[in-house]
Amino acid sequence: MWVETVKYPWSTYKDPDIKRQFKLMSVLGTDALPEDKLKKLDEIVSAMESLYGRATIPEYGDNNLNRTLSLEPDINDILDKSTDVNELKHVWVQWREATGKKIRPMYAEYVKLSNEAARLNNYTDNAEFWIRGYDVDDFRPRMEHLWNQIKPLYLQIHAYVRRKLWELYGSSVITRRGPIPAHLLGDMWAQSWERLDDFTRPYPTIDDVNPTSAMINQNYTPKKMFKVAEEFFTSLNLSAMPQTFWEKSILEKPNGRDLVCHASAWDFYDSNDFRIKQCTSVNFMDFITAHHEMGHIQYFLQYKDLPFIYRDGANEGFHEAIGDTIALSVSTPKHLHKIGLLPKTSRTYEADINYLYKIGLDKVVFLPFGYLMDLWRWNVFKGLTTEDQYNCDWWKLKYSYQGIEPPVTRTENDFDPGSKYHIVGNVPYIRYFVSYIVQFQFHQALCEKADQFDPKNPTSKPLHECDIYQSKNAGNAFKDMLKLGSSKPWFDAMELLTGQREMDARPLLNYFNPLYEWLKNENKRTGEHLGWETNKKICFK
Ligand SMILES: C[C@H](NC(=O)O)C(=O)O
Ligand SMILES: [Zn+2]
């Protein structure tokens, strides 16, 4: 049992700020473990992560094994461009052979040691330890409630995309009432379906909001992508990247050395050294990711002079939402045209629906995945999902929340959760679900400050057309929240910017409402079945 340091009986202190600093400082985390167990846990996590970072798969149809493929950029390019269902099945299965299957033997001990550390921090299990920063005792039911508010919109997108894939691949591959085969959705984990935009969007003949070709034609480099992202932040009167950022960041995949390519942002806590690591390809998705990662750096910069214990997001979801909030402005056809990445776009109803559809394939589609990643891990830490059912419980959740199925039957020899970076990297994930909800609250508040949204007359200036670029008003309001770091409870930070003190799905639902109406009519017109059913056995114990 960890002995409370009697030197500082901080829980008796009166000053709320000193008390808060001690409370945050008193959390030991895994350091509460005895030395040998902490060493073992660190070894397991770094072994899982480096196995993932080194993973490659044999090329499809290649039997002399001379070419192997990495996830970034090789496999992602195949998921982006291929419509060969056997090639897609190959990369889907082989990635899992190369990652999850090999990681499975290590996972149970990782769970045991993580729970032991949580108990030494006075939490019942690691699930409770992970969600402590949300400061409410009904956090998990609140997440289920938010998901239930969004589910009707997700069902409409799911039914529409399933029909479009059925038109492309035919009934031998996909039905119009069943779950969608996971390998057809343009993403290794089916977590966002934006790569399907090209051939599934509602009005195919209307302009395509995909500036990748313009970026290539204008000789964009990874560095230029980050410079353009930086200019958006400085246009808001937010901070530029310090010189060390440009000197020490890794913005391209280095040749000849292994690297965990999953993009990340780093604060070295010396108020000067901040870096991004990203294996950047010159395409629109990576341009948006660059904004996501730079959002982390901007938060680091805004709170860099606070006591170090306060140099953190108000809650972990805030940190994931900063860059994405900016990207909701960057992605608009109006903004992309302004920075020369799109020709003049038609401001028609059809163009609007196409745009909302493309954003929906990322933001709405992500939500069931963003939720189930920790639903599964919470169940594992709580012992509700035991080692003998790791994989089939994972597929129960993927089927139930995402309405997808694996391209081949799975068993307990597989470990599909281990095919996803955040599972092997010990990175909690509900932070992204929270981010995808609160970023629309932030976006709506900033658009109001930029006089591009009127809550009293929400359709007069549609939220999805708002671009806060160059609005000092919006930027200063954002800065005031960012500067708080974790020095105040997140409810206060949220209220400072939005006037609300809790997470609310309505700004997201308002944003997508025109798309929701269109999808309801379209799915009714084509007689789509909402939801999914199957009598196929997805996973064998
Ligand atoms: C959504 C999450 N983003 C991130 O890690 O930055 C992911 O990529 O899975
Ligand atoms: Zn992030």
Side-chain angles (χ1 to χ4, degrees), residues 10-165:
W10 54 268
S11 46
T12 65
Y13 289 175
K14 293 288 168 285
D15 178 313
D17 186 59
I18 299 294
K19 195 168 176 177
R20 181 173 178 80
Q21 287 195 47
F22 268 99
K23 179 171 173 275
L24 290 172
M25 232 180 293
S26 71
V27 176
L28 276 175
T30 52
D31 290 349
L33 282 169
E35 186 60 36
D36 58 330
K37 289 190 172 178
L38 173 58
K39 189 165 170 294
K40 182 67 185 160
L41 179 56
D42 288 346
E43 282 167 2
I44 294 172
V45 175
S46 62
M48 294 195 292
E49 196 166 4
S50 70
L51 192 152
Y52 186 91
R54 287 195 316 274
T56 60
I57 68 170
E59 197 171 23
Y60 175 56
D62 164 53
N63 37 37
N64 48 13
L65 284 182
N66 55 4
R67 231 171 80 73
T68 61
L69 308 174
S70 302
L71 180 66
E72 299 184 53
D74 311 320
I75 297 173
N76 280 342
D77 285 347
I78 290 169
L79 292 168
D80 187 17
K81 299 187 177 63
S82 171
T83 54
D84 174 341
V85 291
N86 292 315
E87 179 174 31
L88 293 172
K89 185 188 296 189
H90 170 82
V91 298
W92 190 95
V93 171
Q94 290 304 315
W95 178 252
R96 283 156 177 77
E97 291 292 307
T99 54
K101 187 168 231 173
K102 293 195 174 121
I103 285 160
R104 178 163 187 139
M106 307 182 214
Y107 204 73
E109 190 168 12
Y110 154 80
V111 171
K112 191 163 77 64
L113 290 167
S114 301
N115 272 336
E116 217 169 297
R119 282 193 291 274
L120 288 170
N121 283 265
N122 303 322
Y123 289 88
T124 48
D125 53 56
N126 203 35
E128 298 306 321
F129 182 69
W130 271 8
I131 62 177
R132 69 191 186 285
Y134 294 101
D135 277 339
V136 289
D137 52 19
D138 61 343
F139 177 73
R140 292 187 295 132
R142 285 176 187 233
M143 293 304 107
E144 187 71 22
H145 174 68
L146 287 167
W147 163 242
N148 284 320
Q149 287 179 275
I150 285 148
K151 188 172 176 178
L153 173 58
Y154 179 74
L155 290 179
Q156 294 293 339
I157 292 182
H158 178 277
Y160 172 82
V161 168
R162 179 175 55 193
R163 195 245 312 172
K164 299 302 279 186
L165 291 174

Side-chain angles (χ1 to χ4, degrees), residues 74 89-91 94 169 173 184 196 205 247 358 372 393:
D74 311 320
K89 185 188 296 189
H90 170 82
V91 298
Q94 290 304 315
Y169 290 115
V173 176
L184 305 180
L196 301 184
T205 53
E247 288 159 7
K358 178 172 167 44
L372 73 84
D393 274 13

Side-chain angles (χ1 to χ4, degrees), residues 315-412:
N315 71 42
E316 58 179 21
F318 276 50
H319 232 301
E320 300 307 333
I322 309 311
D324 282 17
T325 302
I326 298 293
L328 286 173
S329 288
V330 172
S331 304
T332 59
K334 173 168 64 176
H335 185 79
L336 293 173
H337 174 66
K338 198 177 281 185
I339 61 173
L341 287 180
L342 267 189
K344 189 91 191 83
T345 53
S346 47
R347 281 264 307 97
T348 60
Y349 168 74
E350 290 77 5
D352 265 7
I353 295 301
N354 272 358
Y355 176 66
L356 283 170
Y357 175 75
K358 178 172 167 44
I359 301 294
L361 285 181
D362 176 13
K363 301 296 182 184
V364 179
V365 162
F366 175 80
L367 290 165
F369 178 80
Y371 182 29
L372 73 84
M373 276 278 283
D374 279 356
L375 264 185
W376 181 81
R377 282 191 287 190
W378 294 336
N379 287 338
V380 169
F381 289 133
K382 289 181 176 302
L384 302 173
T385 287
T386 49
E387 185 177 0
D388 62 321
Q389 56 197 62
Y390 275 168
N391 211 40
C392 291
D393 274 13
W394 171 258
W395 279 103
K396 273 191 198 123
L397 292 171
K398 300 269 288 179
Y399 175 83
S400 159
Y401 284 91
Q402 286 186 278
I404 64 174
E405 64 180 4
V408 293
T409 307
R410 309 307 284 154
T411 73
E412 286 302 341

